[in-house]
Amino acid sequence: MSKNILVLPGDGIGPEIIAEAVKVLNCVNARFNLDLALEEGLLGGAAYEAEGSPLPDSTFEKARACDAILLGAVGGPQWDKLENRDLRPEAGLLGIRSRLELFGNLRPAILYPQLADASTLKPEVVSGLDILIVRELTGGIYFGEPRGVRTLENGERQGYNTYVYSESEIRRIGRVAFESAQKRGGKLCSVDKANVLEVTVLWREIMEDLASEYPDVELSHMYVDNAAMQLVRAPKQFDVLVTGNMFGDILSDAAAMLTGSIGMLPSASLDKNNKGMYEPCHGSAPDIAGQGIANPLATILSASMMLRYSLNEGEAADAIEAAVSAVLDQGLRTADIFSEGMTRVSTSEMGDAVINALQ
Ligand code: IPM
Ligand code: MG
């Protein structure tokens, strides 16, 4: 039976980087007889322009029915001024995450040895870096109610959001994190702000509680401010980090930069059955859209995570990862990871090089 993949190019550089990942998927599809069937859909600003909604019903239906989703990126300045926030591209992304219950966001930050020089940190601080951020993706302050902007009696406006986590939400993301740590180095650091926020006092308590079920995992706790500092001071102390939606958003961007460029980082967002949506950690980069200079490797690596986690095709995933490593060995670099003595390539040249390395 064929495996149906919904491809959502999105906005900005989304279509350019997705085109390269699709080329790579078509290549492994043929080579490993994967029987993948790719179908495209609209999400974000592109969907709003075409159908008046950033998450049209037609897209959601396809997303529900397919086996896995590959997403480029959404958003752009032309939609930032939309008065109705529900119509903004980001609402489409958050909507699909939430409605499909993709609560488990895995964001690996791996430094390819070839890129040690591209990091803004000293090579000895980052060489060999291999950490995994497990971010809760469908709760916390991103979705908490009540929220809004209200006018007080004195006429002043006040913005407010609610940071809320229920026990079951904490427990299920905790399990994803403990299980990830079991498969890796056996160390889990839970990041919270338990010195100030009650919601994360509960978070810490549930993580402690879970720890007894995973005696092979060493659990530690860290406040988020310290975690941000430790990530740039000594990132190799970490194996797996688990945290809530907003802290995870922030820390994963910081972790991305350790690897040289956010253009290298894939991610997986999984539901309880490991059905998932796969997307690069970076955004739609409207400033460089249409120039053919974006790095497609994070999206190509997202496709590889999709094969591994949702489609059980580890061999094809290994082949893609080896091909990415091979093109870096060849000295090929898009602008974001370029350094002296390397060969600068465009988005599509990078995709072609990965395909050559695969063959
Ligand atoms: C991410 C992005 C999104 C988020 C935005 C685009 C809504 O920054 O995936 O990290 O905040 O989750
Ligand atoms: Mg982010």
Side-chain angles (χ1 to χ4, degrees), residues 49-67:
E49 295 302 336
E51 315 221 351
S53 158
L55 175 54
D57 290 340
S58 56
T59 299
F60 184 69
E61 278 318 309
K62 287 181 196 168
R64 221 166 39 93
C66 70
D67 295 296

Side-chain angles (χ1 to χ4, degrees), residues 74 90 93-94 97 107 135 137 142 245 249 252-253 279 281:
V74 300
E90 291 77 6
L93 176 62
L94 296 179
R97 286 174 178 171
R107 298 192 160 187
R135 169 188 175 194
L137 202 59
Y142 268 52
N245 207 341
D249 178 46
S252 63
D253 264 32
E279 53 179 306
C281 284

Side-chain angles (χ1 to χ4, degrees), residues 174-329:
R175 289 198 189 286
V176 171
F178 275 100
E179 281 161 27
S180 301
Q182 276 181 324
K183 292 185 206 132
R184 294 173 41 104
K187 274 173 41 181
L188 175 63
C189 179
S190 170
V191 175
D192 61 36
K193 189 71 187 173
N195 50 345
V196 180
L197 303 172
E198 286 81 356
V199 44
T200 69
V201 173
L202 180 66
W203 177 282
R204 192 177 276 223
E205 195 184 305
I206 305 288
M207 291 297 161
E208 275 298 323
D209 194 39
L210 280 174
S212 59
E213 290 176 43
Y214 301 90
D216 47 340
V217 175
E218 184 197 315
L219 173 70
S220 61
H221 304 277
M222 199 178 272
Y223 297 141
V224 63
D225 49 350
N226 186 23
M229 179 176 78
Q230 295 301 333
L231 266 177
V232 290
R233 192 189 74 90
K236 284 187 275 182
Q237 69 185 283
F238 297 113
D239 176 18
V240 180
L241 290 144
V242 63
T243 190
N245 207 341
M246 183 167 64
F247 296 163
D249 178 46
I250 298 166
L251 294 182
S252 63
D253 264 32
M257 217 37 229
L258 305 173
T259 70
S261 167
I262 195 167
M264 293 299 299
L265 255 72
S267 78
S269 309
L270 304 173
D271 76 1
K272 62 177 191 301
N273 302 315
N274 276 356
K275 173 173 170 171
M277 181 161 80
Y278 297 81
E279 53 179 306
C281 284
H282 60 71
S284 57
D287 52 322
I288 60 163
Q291 298 175 32
I293 59 171
N295 185 349
L297 292 178
T299 315
I300 290 170
L301 291 167
S302 298
S304 144
M305 279 187 101
M306 175 176 79
L307 293 168
R308 193 183 302 286
Y309 286 94
S310 287
L311 304 176
N312 225 347
E313 297 288 357
E315 207 190 331
D318 288 344
I320 293 176
E321 284 158 26
V324 167
S325 191
V327 301
L328 295 175
D329 281 337

